[in-house]
Amino acid sequence: MFDLKGKVAIITGSTKGIGKAIAIQLCKAGAKVVISSRKHQECVKFSKELIEKGFSAFSIPCHVGKKNEIKNLVQETIKKFNSIDILVSNAATNPAFGPLSNLQDPAFDKIIDVNLKSSIWLINEASPYLKKNKTSSVIIMSSISAFIGTKDIGAYGISKAAEVSLVKHLAVELGSYGIRVNAIAPGLIKTDFSKAIWNNKKTLTKQIETTPLKRIGYPEDISGIVHFLASNASLFITGQLIVADGGETITSVIS
Ligand code: NAP
């Protein structure tokens, strides 16, 4: 049920952090993976490492905020592997830190392009190929910032909330082709992306104290969920959001 042998997976933003852990996990399950990020050298380096370990990997650099690069990502994947079964839309950005009252249009546009429109571009480009395989799976990396209020990352949170809506619409649109579309909302995961939070001792201590599982997350806390959603173990799940946050969002001040 969990075997991904022969399946082809594109993972955006897969040279480090959560995306890298996903690539390793999907390789271990037997998938052929396409490693992708903006930096060509990083993509080549990581895919070489995977190949040296006996896995099947290929690198295609792609800035997900650029539609032509997304088109190239899909077309080069087809040239190399002749199929796409699993799409993981993982890359994201957050150039705006501060209240929405200070949000500048260029930063907001960038957030929406990279975090939201990119997923639609990628799925539309790949859907003719996903439709050929009756058990294809699309996974979009959202965040718990989609459904909580914050003072500093509102624009990012809005883009992540829109992704939750996106999976529901796409799940309906693509369901008759057997394509599942789901999202994951990680809590705080120890990567470069969130370094400003976990690198601050006071914030980290508070975070751990208020999280029921009494720890922050690691990329491997997310990669197993992607494996599940990519596999036939989740064939009847679509349009859903899986929250993986150690319980952070279910607590209250009285607990
Ligand atoms: P990360 O460690 O900073 O890794 C980000 C990856 O994406 C890198 O491979 C990076 O490589 C690539 N990337 C960045 N901008 C890109 C772009 N425009 N186009 C293509 N690739 C790009 O980040 P992460 O923490 O793993 O985050 C992955 C996902 O999890 C994001 O969607 C994020 O919103 C979500 N998330 C993270 C946390 C957390 O606490 N870490 C919590 C909730 C949700 P290059 O720099 O070479 O492009």
Side-chain angles (χ1 to χ4, degrees):
M1 229 184 215
F2 289 89
D3 190 8
L4 301 182
K5 198 166 182 198
K7 297 205 175 194
V8 177
I10 295 177
I11 307 141
T12 64
S14 46
T15 53
K16 60 181 186 168
I18 295 170
K20 185 173 184 175
I22 293 168
I24 293 169
Q25 183 61 30
L26 298 191
C27 277
K28 285 180 179 169
K32 302 170 193 173
V33 301
V34 173
I35 301 304
S36 187
S37 84
R38 289 167 301 181
K39 298 185 191 101
H40 174 78
Q41 286 306 331
E42 295 300 313
C43 294
V44 172
K45 190 172 157 237
F46 182 40
S47 62
K48 263 188 178 172
E49 279 171 33
L50 290 170
I51 291 165
E52 278 163 19
K53 286 181 180 149
F55 298 128
S56 183
F58 187 59
S59 68
I60 308 170
C62 170
H63 185 318
V64 297
K66 297 183 179 174
K67 205 173 184 178
N68 60 326
E69 294 195 18
I70 292 217
K71 198 179 173 79
N72 183 62
L73 174 64
V74 170
Q75 294 314 321
E76 290 302 310
T77 301
I78 291 300
K79 270 192 209 160
K80 173 70 182 172
F81 292 128
N82 198 30
S83 180
I84 303 170
D85 306 81
I86 301 159
L87 263 192
V88 187
S89 183
N90 170 70
T93 192
N94 185 20
F97 194 80
L100 288 169
S101 55
N102 285 349
L103 181 63
Q104 302 298 307
D105 282 347
F108 194 34
D109 289 345
K110 189 168 182 188
I111 289 171
I112 296 300
D113 281 357
V114 173
N115 299 4
L116 180 63
K117 282 159 87 176
S118 66
S119 290
I120 302 176
W121 295 336
L122 180 62
I123 291 156
N124 285 344
E125 195 62 39
S127 68
Y129 308 102
L130 295 168
K131 284 175 183 171
K132 289 185 185 170
N133 311 318
K134 295 293 164 216
T135 59
S136 293
S137 177
V138 176
I139 298 134
I140 298 180
M141 203 55 65
S142 178
S143 161
I144 58 166
S145 62
F147 40 82
I148 55 173
T150 66
K151 282 182 189 157
D152 295 319
I153 55 167
Y156 170 78
I158 290 164
S159 73
K160 293 288 164 180
E163 287 178 325
V164 179
S165 174
L166 178 62
V167 298
K168 295 187 190 303
H169 293 290
L170 286 171
V172 172
E173 205 173 306
L174 299 172
S176 61
Y177 300 97
I179 303 172
R180 289 162 289 136
V181 189
N182 292 291
I184 300 171
L188 178 60
I189 305 294
K190 195 172 184 182
T191 68
D192 288 351
F193 195 76
S194 57
K195 196 169 180 179
I197 305 171
W198 55 258
N199 212 25
N200 179 321
K201 214 173 166 187
K202 207 173 141 196
T203 317
L204 178 64
T205 306
K206 196 172 164 199
Q207 177 78 24
I208 291 170
E209 264 172 18
T210 54
T211 300
L213 288 178
K214 301 297 172 205
R215 67 174 178 90
I216 64 166
Y218 296 91
E220 294 71 25
D221 287 313
I222 306 303
S223 58
I225 304 167
V226 173
H227 179 182
F228 166 68
L229 289 175
S231 76
N232 287 358
S234 61
L235 276 185
F236 207 42
I237 298 179
T238 197
Q240 301 304 310
L241 171 74
I242 297 182
V243 177
D245 68 348
E248 181 185 343
T249 49
I250 53 108
T251 53
S252 109
V253 284
I254 54 166
S255 67

